């Protein structure tokens, strides 16, 4: 499960605000080995961020939650960091989904991200059908935001709310979108 602190047999990984710190495990001689600050223009929710450490201890995936004023919506970014050399940590991938964070799980190298997308409405409670980004969930896989394909949206017979539950299946190591 995701957390703010993890360990391997050699290192302790600690996420404090927007920075991942890596410490050696060596009793009283433990020391900071490396650090990486995740670049973001949004602040205020870092206390809700958490991360996964891959089984091979070479990848950290940080769950970044924030509110985007331009999109008038909560967003979730997954940021994949290569920590195979803690002295030279680098970002190897990022994916962003518009919607509020619900949960994540990692199973067999697959990361499931669950978000909740709220349809934007005007003062009369009507969606703006001229802007599909306001009523269809969108995702940024690194090339700008695009709406989710209509064929991937399942609609129940009876609607009880103007919200979508969005479930994305990603490769844990690369954050490649699988489903």
């Amino acid at each position: 499960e995701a957390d703010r602190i993890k360990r391997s047999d050699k290192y302790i990984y600690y996420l404090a605000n927007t920075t991942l710190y890596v410490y050696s495990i060596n009793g009283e001689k433990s020391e900071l080995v490396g650090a990486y600050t995740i670049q973001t223009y949004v602040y205020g929710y870092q206390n809700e961020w958490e991360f996964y450490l891959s089984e091979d201890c070479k990848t950290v995936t940080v769950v970044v939650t924030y509110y985007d004023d331009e999109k008038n919506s909560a967003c979730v970014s997954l940021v994949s960091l290569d920590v195979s050399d803690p002295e030279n940590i680098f970002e190897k991938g990022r994916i962003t989904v518009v919607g509020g964070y619900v949960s994540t799980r990692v199973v067999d190298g697959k990361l499931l991200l669950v978000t909740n997308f709220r349809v934007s409405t005007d003062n009369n409670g009507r969606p703006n059908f001229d802007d599909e980004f306001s009523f269809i969930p969108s995702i940024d896989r690194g090339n700008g935001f695009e709406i989710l394909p209509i064929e991937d949206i399942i609609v129940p017979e009876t609607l009880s709310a103007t919200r979508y539950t969005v479930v994305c299946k990603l490769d844990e190591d690369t954050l490649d979108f699988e489903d």
Side-chain angles (χ1 to χ4, degrees):
E1 70 185 45
D3 209 337
R4 296 183 66 77
I5 190 166
K6 297 279 188 184
R7 69 167 282 174
S8 67
D9 58 340
K10 296 180 182 178
Y11 303 108
I12 294 174
Y13 305 82
Y14 173 60
L15 182 63
N17 294 318
T18 62
T19 303
L20 178 73
Y21 296 96
V22 182
Y23 296 90
S24 63
I25 298 176
N26 192 14
E28 293 177 7
K29 296 179 182 178
S30 294
E31 61 184 3
L32 180 65
V33 177
Y36 184 87
T37 299
I38 296 169
Q39 299 302 310
T40 181
Y41 302 106
V42 182
Y43 299 96
Y45 290 100
Q46 291 87 6
N47 62 335
E48 297 175 8
W49 292 15
E50 54 191 8
F51 72 93
Y52 290 94
L53 177 63
S54 63
E55 284 188 36
D56 64 6
C57 301
K58 294 181 179 181
T59 302
V60 162
T61 304
V62 182
V63 180
V64 175
T65 58
Y66 64 96
Y67 190 85
D68 187 318
D69 289 328
E70 183 179 305
K71 296 191 178 342
N72 192 30
S73 180
C75 292
V76 180
S77 290
L78 298 176
V79 180
S80 179
L81 302 176
D82 184 311
V83 295
S84 58
D85 176 3
E87 293 180 24
N88 297 298
I89 300 169
F90 63 91
E91 183 174 321
K92 54 184 191 169
R94 183 183 294 235
I95 189 167
T96 301
V97 177
V98 176
Y101 179 63
V102 176
S103 187
T104 53
R105 293 289 181 269
V106 172
V107 177
D108 296 329
K110 305 300 176 198
L111 193 148
L112 296 177
L113 169 64
V114 181
T115 60
N116 188 336
F117 176 80
R118 178 185 52 85
V119 173
S120 297
T121 58
D122 63 18
N123 291 336
N124 295 317
R126 292 184 299 251
N128 175 3
F129 291 113
D130 292 332
D131 178 13
E132 54 192 14
F133 287 95
S134 71
F135 66 91
I136 299 175
S138 61
I139 188 169
D140 180 356
R141 301 176 206 186
N143 298 316
F145 282 93
E146 59 188 77
I147 62 166
L148 292 178
I150 300 303
E151 61 271 10
D152 290 347
I153 298 175
I154 300 167
V155 181
E157 286 186 33
T158 305
L159 297 176
S160 59
T162 55
R163 293 182 181 269
Y164 294 84
T165 298
V166 180
V167 181
C168 298
K169 182 172 128 182
L170 309 160
D171 181 276
E172 178 189 16
D173 186 50
T174 63
L175 294 183
D176 287 342
F177 187 81
E178 294 188 359
D179 202 6

